[in-house]
Amino acid sequence: MSVQDLVRGVMTGPLSAGITGTPRNGLELYLNAPARAAFARFTGTSVAQLAALLPGFAFTHERLEEGPVPRAAWYAPGKAWVAACLQCCGRFWSPQQPVLVYPEAAGHICRRHRRWLLANCERACAINLESLPEVLSAHEHHTALLRTHPQARAVVELAAAMVWSWQVQGWKQEAVWHARTALLSSLTGRSPSAVTAHALITYPDTVAVARLLVDHGWQMRLRETAVAYGAPAATGILLTELGRRTGRLWLGDWLAACSRIGRWPGNGANAGALLEQWVARLGATDGTEQPAGAGLWAVPLPARRPVEHSERTTFLIDSRSREATEEAGRSSLTGGWEPS
């Protein structure tokens, strides 16, 4: 039985039910209140329980008509999604009709089958991470951070913004990112320019930065240094440690030089000075991570990355050709999990 026939059968009643669209052009089914009640009766499960199991069940789409008549419609997902792991689904799967999974903070990787799940509405696809063990290791640290820190999601968003500000400063000779970009290009069949803005490229660095920022021992050391010698000295110590943890011993000196000359190439005013701003906010806390004004983990607007993958690509490639950005937009590398 097709999904459409099932939905139509569940909503059958004295009033004529209506369905707009199909799973092929909408991906997610939205129901009005009478339709939700019909599904609750059919399954013997309360509306509240169904809403807890199915994220799209909890609310009505703004374009869906309310009233006494059951209505259903297929629209684009209202939150970030990825296609479920093909190997996990086994034979209960149609590659031509991906099953939506909401990855939330760290569900973008299937650790059992070592796959980075993508958001492709045409077919199920994922990136094989067998040759990228550092990404799998970062994911393990990421999930551990989520279990232990109440604001882990915000921390990772701030760390991602910091790494993004480094990317747009034009680290053209950055060997690690170049190697990862070339490998991702070969795995996806897309050109390097189309994949260079993908979150996978900098994922290990993002997680490494996030773990350092939440380290209470390091926070205490930075506060003490800021009190004794000033915020610039604390920032220098932090930069040196970040360079060590990310395998870039030159990072601290390079960013410190940018700070001294007051020039931060990038995607907005002070985007590259995020570390300095964070250290200053940290110095205003008493260890509770609650400084006056903006929160410790807030990301300033100038430092935020563009939402669309193709827009981010234009910041990172030498060529501004339409072909490169169009290929990036077609790569199904966006729409799924992103740290910010």
Side-chain angles (χ1 to χ4, degrees):
M1 180 183 292
S2 71
V3 174
Q4 290 289 75
D5 288 340
L6 174 62
V7 174
R8 193 174 289 108
V10 170
M11 298 195 308
T12 297
L15 298 174
S16 178
I19 304 178
T20 302
T22 69
R24 296 295 298 167
N25 56 31
L27 292 181
E28 185 161 56
L29 182 69
Y30 293 88
L31 308 167
N32 65 3
R36 290 198 294 272
F39 269 85
R41 290 192 300 270
F42 178 76
T43 60
T45 308
S46 70
V47 171
Q49 288 174 303
L50 288 174
L53 294 169
L54 305 169
F57 197 89
F59 57 92
T60 300
H61 197 278
E62 59 183 11
R63 293 167 58 188
L64 191 59
E65 178 185 344
E66 280 291 1
V69 178
R71 301 287 185 190
W74 295 91
Y75 293 120
K79 58 192 300 187
W81 66 277
V82 293
C85 174
L86 179 61
Q87 286 73 19
C88 283
C89 293
R91 65 187 180 89
F92 300 101
W93 175 271
S94 171
Q96 287 73 38
Q97 188 174 331
V99 175
L100 269 63
V101 174
Y102 299 99
E104 297 299 340
H108 55 293
I109 287 179
C110 172
R111 291 195 59 81
R112 175 185 296 176
H113 298 106
R114 302 186 175 192
R115 297 287 191 275
W116 183 295
L117 307 176
L118 298 177
N120 189 329
C121 60
E122 298 295 331
R123 60 185 178 85
C125 60
I127 298 171
N128 188 340
L129 298 175
E130 293 285 351
S131 53
L132 289 164
E134 69 274 21
V135 174
L136 291 168
S137 178
H139 185 254
E140 185 175 353
H141 292 308
H142 187 182
T143 53
L145 181 62
L146 289 166
R147 289 193 301 268
T148 57
H149 198 282
Q151 298 186 65
R153 183 178 300 203
V155 175
V156 173
E157 289 182 359
L158 177 61
M162 290 181 178
V163 176
W164 167 249
S165 74
W166 302 342
Q167 283 183 282
V168 297
Q169 285 170 36
W171 293 5
K172 303 302 182 185
Q173 304 305 317
E174 215 299 307
V176 177
W177 290 345
H178 272 268
R180 215 171 280 154
T181 299
L183 181 56
L184 182 57
S185 173
S186 66
L187 292 173
T188 59
R190 299 292 182 177
S191 67
S193 61
V195 303
T196 187
H198 192 273
L200 181 152
I201 302 297
T202 57
Y203 183 64
D205 305 288
T206 295
V207 175
V209 172
R211 294 179 68 206
L212 177 57
L213 296 183
V214 300
D215 188 313
H216 288 292
W218 269 95
Q219 288 183 4
M220 184 180 301
R221 179 179 175 183
L222 293 172
R223 286 194 195 92
E224 292 173 350
T225 302
V227 170
Y229 305 104
T235 302
I237 292 176
L238 181 60
L239 288 172
T240 301
E241 179 63 13
L242 279 174
R244 187 187 70 80
R245 294 198 181 195
T246 59
R248 299 169 177 84
L249 300 181
W250 49 266
L251 173 61
D253 291 339
W254 195 90
L255 291 179
C258 288
S259 177
R260 283 194 299 270
I261 64 176
R263 187 177 66 199
W264 293 93
N267 64 323
N270 296 323
L274 274 174
L275 275 171
E276 291 182 350
Q277 296 168 15
W278 182 81
V279 170
R281 294 205 302 267
L282 179 68
T285 71
D286 57 3
T288 62
E289 300 184 359
Q290 296 296 328
L296 183 61
W297 309 114
V299 180
L301 281 177
R304 292 187 179 275
R305 301 182 304 174
V307 175
E308 293 297 327
H309 180 79
S310 56
E311 291 182 34
R312 292 200 300 270
T313 301
T314 61
F315 282 99
L316 305 181
I317 60 177
D318 293 324
S319 171
R320 296 295 185 264
S321 68
R322 176 178 296 181
E323 291 77 9
T325 55
E326 287 180 348
E327 183 184 9
R330 294 192 304 267
S331 296
S332 299
L333 298 175
T334 187
W337 179 88
E338 289 289 345
S340 59

